[in-house]
Amino acid sequence: MIRSLAAALLLSTAIASPLFAQNAVRSKPAALPVNYASPAPRDVPYPGGAIRLEVDASDTVQRIFRVKETIPVAASGPMTLLMPQWLPGNHAPRGQIEKLSGLTFTADGKPLAWKRDPLNVYGFVIDVPQGTKQVVAEFQFLSATQSNQGRVVVTPKMLNIQWESVSLYPAGYFTRQIPVQATVTYPDGWQAATALRGKKSGSTVAYETIDYEALQDSPIFAGRYFKPVDLGHNVTLNMIADDADELEAKPDQIAKHKKLVDEAGALFGAYHFNHYDFLFAITDEMGGIGLEHHRSSENQVEPGYFKKWSEGEALLDRNLLPHEFTHSWDGKFRRPDQLWTPDFNVPMQDNLLWVYEGQTQFWGYVLGARSGLFTKQETLDAYAHIAAKLDTTRGREWRPMEDTTHDPIISARRPKGWSSWQRSEDYYNEGLMIWLEADAIIRQQTKGAKGLDDFAKAFFGINPGDWGQVVYNRGEVIKTLNAIAPYDWTGFFDKYVDSTTRETPKGGFALGGYKLVYGDTPNAFTKAAEGKNLDQSFGIGLIVKGDGEVSNVVWDSAAFKAGLVTGAKIVAINGDEYSADVFKAALKAAKPMQMIVKQDKYYRTLTLAYSGGLRYPRLEKTGEGEGSLDRLLRPKT
């Protein structure tokens, strides 16, 4: 109780001014200036001359790349050497700096001290002595020996060299202005493929001198079991595998890959490379990858790509090559202006990935259908599966699609507990759905005379033979679309890219002569994607592994409301031990079910109030004859 007015006033003053009271007893450091060791890149030639880079990649047991890099210098004084951090195609700072070890620098045989730049830990600062002509850097890149250390890039049968992992470059220059001559020593008897060309002597290949930007964009696959196949138009399918019999493809399978190259040329109207190399690994030992480059791509599929061609699981892998090949035009030649950077340590801005990746995803499926890698029905099944999956993404209610373009930086593809609410990199497939609708609008506006093919030729088909980069912004995309078919494209993208939505765009289906429906039988693509799991994310809101472990719960679904969570294990349903068949039977009964669930060490009983039965998506024709979606998938060659 306050005993006096004076005491009350003193107390009220103290309460009203807590910041004043804190300041009386807190010290206040002054801000120190920030001194960046790395100079900003300039578009001038590196004055030292060509760097000589020697990589010993012969260790397939301990999987250590040993590097010697001789860097000519033109002046003494401070010099910063950088390991690439922001990697094209990764859309994020993914350089594996933690694996660079044993670093030493010497000049004229004498050791040079180095310090790491505390503001950019990918930078190493040395002081070049007076009169020094070259600095020699030596280090090891300790590639992953287990998958929990990162992607495995070396096995006893194959390897993958990405130059950003085995090289440093001098700060202060556009990477296209830094010449490099690289040499690689491989395991005896192995063959290698890359967009680079070189001369082989024994197990060592000396590659052509090329600028560092193009070097980084020209990775290597090498292996014991290797087979190149000419696909025409200076495109080669370079195959490596765990076993030699995985390389044996039937003539009609190769014919489909050749048609992919033909169809891409017909679509874009020009090739932007002097030669192109698919680096194609059929393996379950080397880590998975699908990464675009201008004159090549890194691709990994599971064993059985050719041997199990007609089986469901192999179907999912056949979208990889059309997607990565499309990137030679969309993403590498034409690139968003703020995603292109002058070196590999300037941050990238990912906002236009719905064009870079989204339209590539669109053309990947179209070219897959046109080339025969997918049948038309398999393509329609894929569209149904993609649209239905996107509709389960409840996070669209708070997070616009455009914001998911930042997800490579935000989450770096780490697992998410509530992915349907958090959203992930939806710019891929939601981008596909947006461009599918854009194609249908163009065909409607022009009475079938034009489609998105015309945009592709006008936007990506310029400058035949040019394998540099031509950048663009959103305004240029809209301007090109309006030149093809006048429409409110600004409002179109405002609605689907910048705003929150209730469901994924499906105008491409409706205008194209189809609608998304559900039944109790999975289509071919959904069945392949489901694999050994039971995927009922379209209905009850749940994906369950074969042993009953829950791998995904859709936000605000019946499963969510019942209290299920990713990682829990369903032990029993309605008194019966869990199995996929038991679960399907309970769903088909279309009435509430009782579950016993184990989460960590604890058991609990849940009631799932759901009566929707089994639900799987498919596309259903809505009209007679050929619609615009049918015409989109029709081959051009």
Side-chain angles (χ1 to χ4, degrees):
M1 180 180 289
I2 301 299
R3 296 295 183 182
S4 70
L5 179 61
L9 289 172
L10 285 172
L11 182 58
S12 65
T13 302
I15 293 173
S17 306
L19 188 60
F20 177 81
Q22 292 174 22
N23 287 344
V25 295
R26 292 178 67 187
S27 298
K28 299 178 181 178
L32 297 174
V34 177
N35 298 312
Y36 293 94
S38 301
R42 296 169 296 143
D43 194 10
V44 297
Y46 175 64
I51 293 171
R52 190 166 71 254
L53 176 63
E54 301 167 78
V55 179
D56 184 344
S58 61
D59 183 353
T60 61
V61 177
Q62 293 181 309
R63 305 178 182 183
I64 299 169
F65 293 123
R66 292 174 170 82
V67 180
K68 180 180 180 181
E69 187 169 0
T70 304
I71 305 156
V73 295
S76 59
M79 180 181 192
T80 300
L81 292 158
L82 299 168
M83 185 181 188
Q85 178 182 10
W86 288 82
L87 306 178
N90 289 258
H91 316 310
R94 299 278 176 85
Q96 298 182 76
I97 187 69
E98 77 284 359
K99 293 183 172 65
L100 188 154
S101 300
L103 178 64
T104 63
F105 293 101
T106 58
D108 298 322
K110 298 178 181 179
L112 295 178
W114 60 267
K115 290 184 178 180
R116 196 183 298 266
D117 180 356
L119 296 175
N120 178 8
V121 296
Y122 287 73
F124 303 94
V125 184
I126 60 175
D127 191 11
V128 178
Q130 189 73 33
T132 298
K133 300 298 183 185
Q134 60 186 31
V135 170
V136 177
E138 295 187 74
F139 60 91
Q140 305 87 41
F141 181 78
L142 309 179
S143 79
T145 56
Q146 293 182 308
S147 59
N148 63 3
Q149 301 165 13
R151 178 173 165 260
V152 172
V153 298
V154 182
T155 78
K157 299 173 183 176
M158 66 181 67
L159 62 80
N160 175 201
I161 295 175
Q162 296 175 317
W163 295 105
E164 61 266 20
S165 298
V166 293
S167 61
L168 305 172
Y169 69 94
Y173 305 90
F174 282 27
T175 50
R176 67 188 180 203
Q177 295 277 19
I178 304 170
V180 183
Q181 191 275 309
T183 300
V184 179
T185 299
Y186 298 100
D188 291 341
W190 285 29
Q191 296 184 70
T194 171
L196 302 174
R197 296 298 183 255
K199 295 182 179 179
K200 187 174 183 180
S201 177
S203 297
T204 300
V205 178
Y207 292 103
E208 60 192 341
T209 298
I210 200 166
D211 64 84
Y212 190 71
E213 178 184 80
L215 179 77
Q216 186 279 337
D217 198 39
S218 306
I220 295 169
F221 273 19
R224 180 179 300 170
Y225 305 113
F226 176 92
K227 185 177 182 179
V229 176
D230 181 5
L231 300 182
H233 301 282
N234 294 316
V235 178
T236 304
L237 180 64
N238 300 282
M239 301 181 290
I240 59 172
D242 295 333
D243 300 293
D245 65 345
E246 291 284 352
L247 303 176
E248 298 306 316
K250 295 177 181 178
D252 67 308
Q253 294 170 334
I254 294 300
K256 289 177 171 63
H257 291 79
K258 289 182 177 180
K259 190 166 176 58
L260 167 62
V261 178
D262 294 339
E263 288 289 342
L267 168 63
F268 296 113
Y271 295 99
H272 294 296
F273 45 75
N274 51 355
H275 52 258
Y276 187 95
D277 288 88
F278 284 110
L279 311 180
F280 188 59
I282 305 173
T283 178
D284 57 7
E285 296 180 25
M286 192 167 74
I289 192 169
L291 187 59
E292 67 272 13
H293 302 280
H294 206 138
R295 299 186 298 162
S296 64
S297 55
E298 297 168 274
N299 309 276
Q300 178 271 333
V301 297
E302 292 296 304
Y305 180 82
F306 293 117
K307 294 169 64 177
K308 300 179 180 178
W309 187 268
S310 61
E311 298 180 22
E313 291 181 14
L315 175 66
L316 302 181
D317 283 330
R318 294 207 287 277
N319 177 245
L320 181 60
L321 295 186
H323 180 99
E324 301 305 339
F325 192 42
T326 297
H327 269 314
S328 181
W329 292 265
D330 183 2
K332 303 308 291 185
F333 174 60
R334 295 303 308 267
R335 198 175 306 181
D337 53 3
Q338 293 181 320
L339 194 56
W340 179 88
T341 56
D343 76 355
F344 302 126
N345 288 73
V346 173
M348 298 173 181
Q349 298 179 53
D350 290 347
N351 301 69
L352 280 169
L353 283 178
W354 51 272
V355 182
Y356 179 126
E357 293 288 4
Q359 197 171 134
T360 293
Q361 190 80 330
F362 169 85
W363 288 124
Y365 278 101
V366 170
L367 288 173
R370 291 179 182 178
S371 65
L373 288 169
F374 279 74
T375 66
K376 177 184 172 182
Q377 186 57 52
E378 287 167 344
T379 306
L380 294 174
D381 288 348
Y383 288 156
H385 179 86
I386 287 167
K389 276 289 185 183
L390 287 168
D391 275 350
T392 70
T393 305
R394 297 297 302 275
R396 68 178 57 257
E397 296 170 18
W398 70 272
R399 188 180 183 189
M401 189 277 284
E402 199 264 355
D403 190 62
T404 73
T405 64
H406 304 297
D407 221 58
I409 302 169
I410 295 168
S411 64
R413 296 185 174 174
R414 290 184 292 267
K416 295 182 176 182
W418 301 100
S419 59
S420 65
W421 186 239
Q422 294 165 282
R423 301 198 80 171
S424 188
E425 296 178 36
D426 290 350
Y427 54 87
Y428 278 92
N429 280 333
E430 189 122 332
L432 179 159
M433 296 299 295
I434 289 170
W435 290 112
L436 196 64
E437 184 164 331
D439 174 76
I441 290 170
I442 293 171
R443 292 174 188 273
Q444 182 187 59
Q445 294 292 105
T446 64
K447 295 180 171 55
K450 296 180 180 180
L452 205 63
D453 287 67
D454 297 276
F455 172 87
K457 194 164 291 186
F459 199 74
F460 300 112
I462 60 173
N463 304 356
D466 181 356
W467 51 280
Q469 303 94 30
V470 179
V471 299
Y472 63 85
N473 55 35
R474 186 191 285 206
E476 291 173 78
V477 174
I478 292 171
K479 181 180 178 181
T480 306
L481 284 167
N482 274 316
I484 304 300
Y487 186 74
D488 181 16
W489 295 109
T490 297
F492 178 80
F493 293 126
D494 285 347
K495 176 182 177 182
Y496 288 138
V497 174
D498 302 322
S499 305
T500 56
T501 58
R502 294 292 300 177
E503 60 180 308
T504 194
K506 299 190 186 72
F509 296 162
L511 295 172
Y514 289 87
K515 66 178 179 180
L516 182 66
V517 298
Y518 291 87
D520 59 6
T521 304
N523 69 46
F525 192 91
T526 299
K527 185 176 181 180
E530 193 176 36
K532 297 178 181 178
N533 298 332
L534 177 58
D535 185 352
Q536 280 300 291
S537 52
F538 319 109
I540 199 170
L542 199 61
I543 302 177
V544 187
K545 297 180 181 179
D547 63 354
E549 182 182 336
V550 176
S551 62
N552 191 41
V553 178
V554 174
W555 189 268
D556 209 31
S557 64
F560 176 90
K561 292 173 181 176
L564 281 165
V565 63
T566 298
K569 189 168 185 177
I570 303 172
V571 178
I573 297 176
N574 294 335
D576 293 325
E577 183 179 17
Y578 176 84
S579 71
D581 288 339
V582 166
F583 192 15
K584 287 179 180 178
L587 288 168
K588 287 179 179 179
K591 58 184 180 181
M593 66 185 79
Q594 300 294 316
M595 282 188 177
I596 298 175
V597 175
K598 181 183 180 184
Q599 186 175 343
D600 301 322
K601 298 185 296 181
Y602 307 99
Y603 290 81
R604 53 199 175 102
T605 300
L606 307 175
T607 299
L608 265 75
Y610 174 76
S611 58
L614 284 168
R615 293 187 89 230
Y616 290 105
R618 60 184 174 85
L619 288 187
E620 183 178 274
K621 202 90 164 76
T622 57
E624 297 294 329
E626 190 179 53
S628 64
L629 182 52
D630 302 307
R631 289 189 287 275
L632 171 68
L633 301 180
R634 199 164 56 195
K636 301 296 182 184
T637 63

